[in-house]
mmCIF file with all atom_site columns, all heavy atoms in Angstrom:
data_model
loop_
_atom_site.group_PDB
_atom_site.id
_atom_site.type_symbol
_atom_site.label_atom_id
_atom_site.label_alt_id
_atom_site.label_comp_id
_atom_site.label_asym_id
_atom_site.label_entity_id
_atom_site.label_seq_id
_atom_site.pdbx_PDB_ins_code
_atom_site.Cartn_x
_atom_site.Cartn_y
_atom_site.Cartn_z
_atom_site.occupancy
_atom_site.B_iso_or_equiv
_atom_site.pdbx_formal_charge
_atom_site.auth_seq_id
_atom_site.auth_comp_id
_atom_site.auth_asym_id
_atom_site.auth_atom_id
_atom_site.pdbx_PDB_model_num
ATOM 1   N N   . THR D 1 110 ? 118.476 112.407 97.587  1.00 0.00 ? 995  THR D N   1
ATOM 2   C CA  . THR D 1 110 ? 117.356 113.085 96.955  1.00 0.00 ? 995  THR D CA  1
ATOM 3   C C   . THR D 1 110 ? 116.159 113.001 97.865  1.00 0.00 ? 995  THR D C   1
ATOM 4   O O   . THR D 1 110 ? 115.737 111.913 98.240  1.00 0.00 ? 995  THR D O   1
ATOM 5   C CB  . THR D 1 110 ? 117.014 112.494 95.564  1.00 0.00 ? 995  THR D CB  1
ATOM 6   O OG1 . THR D 1 110 ? 118.208 112.655 94.730  1.00 0.00 ? 995  THR D OG1 1
ATOM 7   C CG2 . THR D 1 110 ? 115.857 113.193 94.919  1.00 0.00 ? 995  THR D CG2 1
ATOM 8   N N   . ASN D 1 111 ? 115.572 114.155 98.213  1.00 0.00 ? 996  ASN D N   1
ATOM 9   C CA  . ASN D 1 111 ? 114.407 114.168 99.091  1.00 0.00 ? 996  ASN D CA  1
ATOM 10  C C   . ASN D 1 111 ? 113.205 113.517 98.391  1.00 0.00 ? 996  ASN D C   1
ATOM 11  O O   . ASN D 1 111 ? 112.826 113.958 97.316  1.00 0.00 ? 996  ASN D O   1
ATOM 12  C CB  . ASN D 1 111 ? 114.088 115.573 99.490  1.00 0.00 ? 996  ASN D CB  1
ATOM 13  C CG  . ASN D 1 111 ? 112.882 115.697 100.412 1.00 0.00 ? 996  ASN D CG  1
ATOM 14  O OD1 . ASN D 1 111 ? 112.406 114.723 100.957 1.00 0.00 ? 996  ASN D OD1 1
ATOM 15  N ND2 . ASN D 1 111 ? 112.431 116.922 100.611 1.00 0.00 ? 996  ASN D ND2 1
ATOM 16  N N   . VAL D 1 112 ? 112.611 112.472 99.010  1.00 0.00 ? 997  VAL D N   1
ATOM 17  C CA  . VAL D 1 112 ? 111.428 111.815 98.496  1.00 0.00 ? 997  VAL D CA  1
ATOM 18  C C   . VAL D 1 112 ? 110.203 112.089 99.339  1.00 0.00 ? 997  VAL D C   1
ATOM 19  O O   . VAL D 1 112 ? 109.105 111.685 98.956  1.00 0.00 ? 997  VAL D O   1
ATOM 20  C CB  . VAL D 1 112 ? 111.631 110.325 98.283  1.00 0.00 ? 997  VAL D CB  1
ATOM 21  C CG1 . VAL D 1 112 ? 112.715 110.043 97.254  1.00 0.00 ? 997  VAL D CG1 1
ATOM 22  C CG2 . VAL D 1 112 ? 111.911 109.601 99.576  1.00 0.00 ? 997  VAL D CG2 1
ATOM 23  N N   . GLY D 1 113 ? 110.369 112.768 100.465 1.00 0.00 ? 998  GLY D N   1
ATOM 24  C CA  . GLY D 1 113 ? 109.208 113.104 101.308 1.00 0.00 ? 998  GLY D CA  1
ATOM 25  C C   . GLY D 1 113 ? 109.631 113.870 102.532 1.00 0.00 ? 998  GLY D C   1
ATOM 26  O O   . GLY D 1 113 ? 110.674 113.613 103.107 1.00 0.00 ? 998  GLY D O   1
ATOM 27  N N   . THR D 1 114 ? 108.809 114.842 102.877 1.00 0.00 ? 999  THR D N   1
ATOM 28  C CA  . THR D 1 114 ? 109.079 115.700 104.057 1.00 0.00 ? 999  THR D CA  1
ATOM 29  C C   . THR D 1 114 ? 107.859 115.680 104.950 1.00 0.00 ? 999  THR D C   1
ATOM 30  O O   . THR D 1 114 ? 106.718 115.783 104.479 1.00 0.00 ? 999  THR D O   1
ATOM 31  C CB  . THR D 1 114 ? 109.346 117.129 103.607 1.00 0.00 ? 999  THR D CB  1
ATOM 32  O OG1 . THR D 1 114 ? 110.448 117.137 102.686 1.00 0.00 ? 999  THR D OG1 1
ATOM 33  C CG2 . THR D 1 114 ? 109.662 118.032 104.787 1.00 0.00 ? 999  THR D CG2 1
ATOM 34  N N   . VAL D 1 115 ? 108.077 115.555 106.265 1.00 0.00 ? 1000 VAL D N   1
ATOM 35  C CA  . VAL D 1 115 ? 106.996 115.624 107.254 1.00 0.00 ? 1000 VAL D CA  1
ATOM 36  C C   . VAL D 1 115 ? 107.458 116.458 108.419 1.00 0.00 ? 1000 VAL D C   1
ATOM 37  O O   . VAL D 1 115 ? 108.617 116.612 108.694 1.00 0.00 ? 1000 VAL D O   1
ATOM 38  C CB  . VAL D 1 115 ? 106.539 114.228 107.761 1.00 0.00 ? 1000 VAL D CB  1
ATOM 39  C CG1 . VAL D 1 115 ? 105.946 113.393 106.642 1.00 0.00 ? 1000 VAL D CG1 1
ATOM 40  C CG2 . VAL D 1 115 ? 107.700 113.498 108.451 1.00 0.00 ? 1000 VAL D CG2 1
ATOM 41  N N   . THR D 1 116 ? 106.446 117.020 109.102 1.00 0.00 ? 1001 THR D N   1
ATOM 42  C CA  . THR D 1 116 ? 106.671 117.699 110.378 1.00 0.00 ? 1001 THR D CA  1
ATOM 43  C C   . THR D 1 116 ? 106.461 116.700 111.499 1.00 0.00 ? 1001 THR D C   1
ATOM 44  O O   . THR D 1 116 ? 105.383 116.064 111.570 1.00 0.00 ? 1001 THR D O   1
ATOM 45  C CB  . THR D 1 116 ? 105.728 118.903 110.556 1.00 0.00 ? 1001 THR D CB  1
ATOM 46  O OG1 . THR D 1 116 ? 106.004 119.816 109.483 1.00 0.00 ? 1001 THR D OG1 1
ATOM 47  C CG2 . THR D 1 116 ? 105.972 119.578 111.903 1.00 0.00 ? 1001 THR D CG2 1
ATOM 48  N N   . VAL D 1 117 ? 107.474 116.486 112.334 1.00 0.00 ? 1002 VAL D N   1
ATOM 49  C CA  . VAL D 1 117 ? 107.384 115.560 113.441 1.00 0.00 ? 1002 VAL D CA  1
ATOM 50  C C   . VAL D 1 117 ? 106.783 116.346 114.605 1.00 0.00 ? 1002 VAL D C   1
ATOM 51  O O   . VAL D 1 117 ? 107.505 117.048 115.289 1.00 0.00 ? 1002 VAL D O   1
ATOM 52  C CB  . VAL D 1 117 ? 108.746 114.959 113.757 1.00 0.00 ? 1002 VAL D CB  1
ATOM 53  C CG1 . VAL D 1 117 ? 108.653 114.023 114.969 1.00 0.00 ? 1002 VAL D CG1 1
ATOM 54  C CG2 . VAL D 1 117 ? 109.257 114.163 112.574 1.00 0.00 ? 1002 VAL D CG2 1
ATOM 55  N N   . ASP D 1 118 ? 105.483 116.224 114.755 1.00 0.00 ? 1003 ASP D N   1
ATOM 56  C CA  . ASP D 1 118 ? 104.726 117.104 115.653 1.00 0.00 ? 1003 ASP D CA  1
ATOM 57  C C   . ASP D 1 118 ? 104.281 116.401 116.941 1.00 0.00 ? 1003 ASP D C   1
ATOM 58  O O   . ASP D 1 118 ? 103.182 116.594 117.408 1.00 0.00 ? 1003 ASP D O   1
ATOM 59  C CB  . ASP D 1 118 ? 103.522 117.682 114.941 1.00 0.00 ? 1003 ASP D CB  1
ATOM 60  C CG  . ASP D 1 118 ? 102.622 116.619 114.365 1.00 0.00 ? 1003 ASP D CG  1
ATOM 61  O OD1 . ASP D 1 118 ? 102.926 115.404 114.459 1.00 0.00 ? 1003 ASP D OD1 1
ATOM 62  O OD2 . ASP D 1 118 ? 101.576 117.002 113.798 1.00 0.00 ? 1003 ASP D OD2 1
ATOM 63  N N   . SER D 1 119 ? 105.160 115.561 117.521 1.00 0.00 ? 1004 SER D N   1
ATOM 64  C CA  . SER D 1 119 ? 104.859 114.860 118.751 1.00 0.00 ? 1004 SER D CA  1
ATOM 65  C C   . SER D 1 119 ? 106.113 114.669 119.568 1.00 0.00 ? 1004 SER D C   1
ATOM 66  O O   . SER D 1 119 ? 107.175 114.388 119.020 1.00 0.00 ? 1004 SER D O   1
ATOM 67  C CB  . SER D 1 119 ? 104.220 113.506 118.453 1.00 0.00 ? 1004 SER D CB  1
ATOM 68  O OG  . SER D 1 119 ? 103.966 112.805 119.670 1.00 0.00 ? 1004 SER D OG  1
ATOM 69  N N   . SER D 1 120 ? 105.954 114.739 120.887 1.00 0.00 ? 1005 SER D N   1
ATOM 70  C CA  . SER D 1 120 ? 107.075 114.464 121.750 1.00 0.00 ? 1005 SER D CA  1
ATOM 71  C C   . SER D 1 120 ? 107.059 112.982 122.207 1.00 0.00 ? 1005 SER D C   1
ATOM 72  O O   . SER D 1 120 ? 107.864 112.553 123.028 1.00 0.00 ? 1005 SER D O   1
ATOM 73  C CB  . SER D 1 120 ? 107.101 115.376 123.011 1.00 0.00 ? 1005 SER D CB  1
ATOM 74  O OG  . SER D 1 120 ? 105.854 115.265 123.692 1.00 0.00 ? 1005 SER D OG  1
ATOM 75  N N   . ASN D 1 121 ? 106.101 112.231 121.662 1.00 0.00 ? 1006 ASN D N   1
ATOM 76  C CA  . ASN D 1 121 ? 106.005 110.758 121.872 1.00 0.00 ? 1006 ASN D CA  1
ATOM 77  C C   . ASN D 1 121 ? 106.338 110.047 120.569 1.00 0.00 ? 1006 ASN D C   1
ATOM 78  O O   . ASN D 1 121 ? 106.135 110.618 119.484 1.00 0.00 ? 1006 ASN D O   1
ATOM 79  C CB  . ASN D 1 121 ? 104.616 110.373 122.339 1.00 0.00 ? 1006 ASN D CB  1
ATOM 80  C CG  . ASN D 1 121 ? 104.255 110.982 123.653 1.00 0.00 ? 1006 ASN D CG  1
ATOM 81  O OD1 . ASN D 1 121 ? 105.051 110.944 124.599 1.00 0.00 ? 1006 ASN D OD1 1
ATOM 82  N ND2 . ASN D 1 121 ? 103.085 111.610 123.752 1.00 0.00 ? 1006 ASN D ND2 1
ATOM 83  N N   . TRP D 1 122 ? 106.791 108.802 120.662 1.00 0.00 ? 1007 TRP D N   1
ATOM 84  C CA  . TRP D 1 122 ? 107.111 108.048 119.455 1.00 0.00 ? 1007 TRP D CA  1
ATOM 85  C C   . TRP D 1 122 ? 105.865 107.861 118.587 1.00 0.00 ? 1007 TRP D C   1
ATOM 86  O O   . TRP D 1 122 ? 104.822 107.388 119.060 1.00 0.00 ? 1007 TRP D O   1
ATOM 87  C CB  . TRP D 1 122 ? 107.679 106.679 119.780 1.00 0.00 ? 1007 TRP D CB  1
ATOM 88  C CG  . TRP D 1 122 ? 108.996 106.683 120.432 1.00 0.00 ? 1007 TRP D CG  1
ATOM 89  C CD1 . TRP D 1 122 ? 109.307 106.299 121.678 1.00 0.00 ? 1007 TRP D CD1 1
ATOM 90  C CD2 . TRP D 1 122 ? 110.250 107.105 119.859 1.00 0.00 ? 1007 TRP D CD2 1
ATOM 91  N NE1 . TRP D 1 122 ? 110.674 106.412 121.944 1.00 0.00 ? 1007 TRP D NE1 1
ATOM 92  C CE2 . TRP D 1 122 ? 111.276 106.940 120.836 1.00 0.00 ? 1007 TRP D CE2 1
ATOM 93  C CE3 . TRP D 1 122 ? 110.616 107.654 118.640 1.00 0.00 ? 1007 TRP D CE3 1
ATOM 94  C CZ2 . TRP D 1 122 ? 112.598 107.279 120.606 1.00 0.00 ? 1007 TRP D CZ2 1
ATOM 95  C CZ3 . TRP D 1 122 ? 111.961 107.976 118.375 1.00 0.00 ? 1007 TRP D CZ3 1
ATOM 96  C CH2 . TRP D 1 122 ? 112.915 107.783 119.368 1.00 0.00 ? 1007 TRP D CH2 1
ATOM 97  N N   . ILE D 1 123 ? 105.919 108.298 117.316 1.00 0.00 ? 1008 ILE D N   1
ATOM 98  C CA  . ILE D 1 123 ? 104.815 108.205 116.360 1.00 0.00 ? 1008 ILE D CA  1
ATOM 99  C C   . ILE D 1 123 ? 105.446 107.632 115.078 1.00 0.00 ? 1008 ILE D C   1
ATOM 100 O O   . ILE D 1 123 ? 106.582 107.943 114.755 1.00 0.00 ? 1008 ILE D O   1
ATOM 101 C CB  . ILE D 1 123 ? 104.239 109.585 116.070 1.00 0.00 ? 1008 ILE D CB  1
ATOM 102 C CG1 . ILE D 1 123 ? 103.668 110.200 117.312 1.00 0.00 ? 1008 ILE D CG1 1
ATOM 103 C CG2 . ILE D 1 123 ? 103.148 109.484 114.981 1.00 0.00 ? 1008 ILE D CG2 1
ATOM 104 C CD1 . ILE D 1 123 ? 102.335 109.690 117.767 1.00 0.00 ? 1008 ILE D CD1 1
ATOM 105 N N   . VAL D 1 124 ? 104.638 106.881 114.298 1.00 0.00 ? 1009 VAL D N   1
ATOM 106 C CA  . VAL D 1 124 ? 105.077 106.383 113.018 1.00 0.00 ? 1009 VAL D CA  1
ATOM 107 C C   . VAL D 1 124 ? 104.632 107.357 111.938 1.00 0.00 ? 1009 VAL D C   1
ATOM 108 O O   . VAL D 1 124 ? 103.455 107.698 111.810 1.00 0.00 ? 1009 VAL D O   1
ATOM 109 C CB  . VAL D 1 124 ? 104.575 104.994 112.712 1.00 0.00 ? 1009 VAL D CB  1
ATOM 110 C CG1 . VAL D 1 124 ? 104.931 104.541 111.295 1.00 0.00 ? 1009 VAL D CG1 1
ATOM 111 C CG2 . VAL D 1 124 ? 105.078 103.992 113.733 1.00 0.00 ? 1009 VAL D CG2 1
ATOM 112 N N   . TYR D 1 125 ? 105.615 107.854 111.145 1.00 0.00 ? 1010 TYR D N   1
ATOM 113 C CA  . TYR D 1 125 ? 105.345 108.782 110.024 1.00 0.00 ? 1010 TYR D CA  1
ATOM 114 C C   . TYR D 1 125 ? 105.676 107.990 108.752 1.00 0.00 ? 1010 TYR D C   1
ATOM 115 O O   . TYR D 1 125 ? 106.718 107.386 108.648 1.00 0.00 ? 1010 TYR D O   1
ATOM 116 C CB  . TYR D 1 125 ? 106.233 110.015 110.134 1.00 0.00 ? 1010 TYR D CB  1
ATOM 117 C CG  . TYR D 1 125 ? 105.948 110.860 111.359 1.00 0.00 ? 1010 TYR D CG  1
ATOM 118 C CD1 . TYR D 1 125 ? 106.578 110.575 112.563 1.00 0.00 ? 1010 TYR D CD1 1
ATOM 119 C CD2 . TYR D 1 125 ? 105.023 111.876 111.316 1.00 0.00 ? 1010 TYR D CD2 1
ATOM 120 C CE1 . TYR D 1 125 ? 106.288 111.340 113.705 1.00 0.00 ? 1010 TYR D CE1 1
ATOM 121 C CE2 . TYR D 1 125 ? 104.726 112.637 112.467 1.00 0.00 ? 1010 TYR D CE2 1
ATOM 122 C CZ  . TYR D 1 125 ? 105.379 112.337 113.641 1.00 0.00 ? 1010 TYR D CZ  1
ATOM 123 O OH  . TYR D 1 125 ? 105.101 113.081 114.778 1.00 0.00 ? 1010 TYR D OH  1
ATOM 124 N N   . THR D 1 126 ? 104.759 108.034 107.801 1.00 0.00 ? 1011 THR D N   1
ATOM 125 C CA  . THR D 1 126 ? 104.865 107.219 106.599 1.00 0.00 ? 1011 THR D CA  1
ATOM 126 C C   . THR D 1 126 ? 105.093 108.065 105.362 1.00 0.00 ? 1011 THR D C   1
ATOM 127 O O   . THR D 1 126 ? 104.367 109.011 105.092 1.00 0.00 ? 1011 THR D O   1
ATOM 128 C CB  . THR D 1 126 ? 103.598 106.297 106.398 1.00 0.00 ? 1011 THR D CB  1
ATOM 129 O OG1 . THR D 1 126 ? 103.435 105.487 107.553 1.00 0.00 ? 1011 THR D OG1 1
ATOM 130 C CG2 . THR D 1 126 ? 103.757 105.470 105.167 1.00 0.00 ? 1011 THR D CG2 1
#
Side-chain angles (χ1 to χ4, degrees):
T995 298
N996 181 11
V997 296
T999 302
V1000 296
T1001 298
V1002 177
D1003 57 357
S1004 176
S1005 57
N1006 297 313
W1007 292 115
I1008 301 282
V1009 175
Y1010 297 87
T1011 301

